[in-house]
Each structure stands twice: as C-alpha cells, then as structure tokens.
Amino acid sequence: MRRVLSWSLAVAILLAAAVWGGLALHERATFGTKITEADLTVEVDEGDRFSLAVPDRGASVGDAWSATVTPDGVVAAVEDRKVMSSVWDRVFGPEAGGGAGTRYFIYTAEAPGTVRVTLANCFQGCRDDDSRSLSREVTWTVTVG
C-alpha cells in the first residue's frame, strides 16, 4: 500500500511539474522577454520576441492604449494582449468597471537598427482637461543587434 502511495505521489509531482513547465514555455513563446517601464532602453537580437508592458485599468474605465513605432522595418508588431490582474477576471471575465491588469504589446525583432516605440493611453478619449490629465505616454528605445 505504501508503495502505491509513493508512486502516486511521485506521478502527481511529475505531472504538476510538467504542467507548470508547459505553461512557462507557452508564456515565453507568447510574450518573449517582458519589458516594463523600469527599462526604457532595450537591446534585443534579430529574431527575438519581446513585449512592452503597461498597466491597463480596463476599457470600461476608459483606458485605450495604442502603439507607434518609428521607423518602420526594424520590429514587427505581433499583437497586443491584456492579462487581467485577478484570476477571477481571467477565468470569468471582468465585471463592469473592472478588468485591471497589464497590457502587453508584443513585437518580433526583424532587422538590425534602432526604433522608438511609444505606447499612448488616451484616457476616456482625451475629451476634456480631466481625461487628458489622466492620459499618458511611455517611449522605449529598442536596438536590434
């Protein structure tokens, strides 16, 4: 009986490790290197995938992030994806007024050179002085070697 329990425990541990490792590999393949506002000057290699991360309070609150890359041809946009902060929101979706998390703008380094990537949040459409004061921009300098 003890032998069966020991084998069952070993199999459960190996299975949990395999699932965790698979999730980590999937996240790395999806997002590449995650880069936050703490590092606004970045060097990547040609062919690398990377993500620029900004906090996102949610569209229902008024966040609307967009990206501008200058010049063209050095990096290619793959997608932008939001990851909710709470597990509940990830599984069931956010409730009205909720949905805070992190927005990742995902790129692939295509050719050697240097680009400026600006992520801008025009809060609630920048419709008045209050919403404009809550809007912001973040600019990264990305060098592809």
Side-chain angles (χ1 to χ4, degrees), residues 73-122:
V74 177
V75 300
V78 175
E79 70 174 308
D80 73 276
R81 181 182 288 201
K82 183 171 168 192
V83 176
M84 303 291 187
S85 295
S86 85
V87 174
W88 179 268
D89 285 351
R90 287 183 200 177
V91 174
F92 299 107
E95 294 184 29
T102 302
R103 178 151 315 267
Y104 295 94
F105 286 80
I106 305 166
Y107 295 92
T108 302
E110 295 287 314
T114 299
V115 295
R116 290 173 47 90
V117 180
T118 300
L119 303 184
N121 179 15
C122 185

Side-chain angles (χ1 to χ4, degrees), residues 30-134:
T30 301
F31 296 101
T33 302
K34 292 180 179 178
I35 303 163
T36 66
E37 295 176 64
D39 191 9
L40 296 177
T41 303
V42 181
E43 293 184 17
V44 296
D45 292 326
E46 193 172 349
D48 284 354
R49 180 174 278 211
F50 63 96
S51 298
L52 304 177
V54 289
D56 189 323
R57 294 167 287 196
S60 64
V61 174
D63 275 355
W65 286 95
S66 62
T68 305
V69 179
T70 309
D72 291 333
V74 177
V75 300
V78 175
E79 70 174 308
D80 73 276
R81 181 182 288 201
K82 183 171 168 192
V83 176
M84 303 291 187
S85 295
S86 85
V87 174
W88 179 268
D89 285 351
R90 287 183 200 177
V91 174
F92 299 107
E95 294 184 29
T102 302
R103 178 151 315 267
Y104 295 94
F105 286 80
I106 305 166
Y107 295 92
T108 302
E110 295 287 314
T114 299
V115 295
R116 290 173 47 90
V117 180
T118 300
L119 303 184
N121 179 15
C122 185
F123 186 71
Q124 295 181 345
C126 299
R127 66 176 186 257
D128 55 30
D129 288 339
D130 289 337
S131 62
R132 280 189 292 279
S133 72
L134 294 170

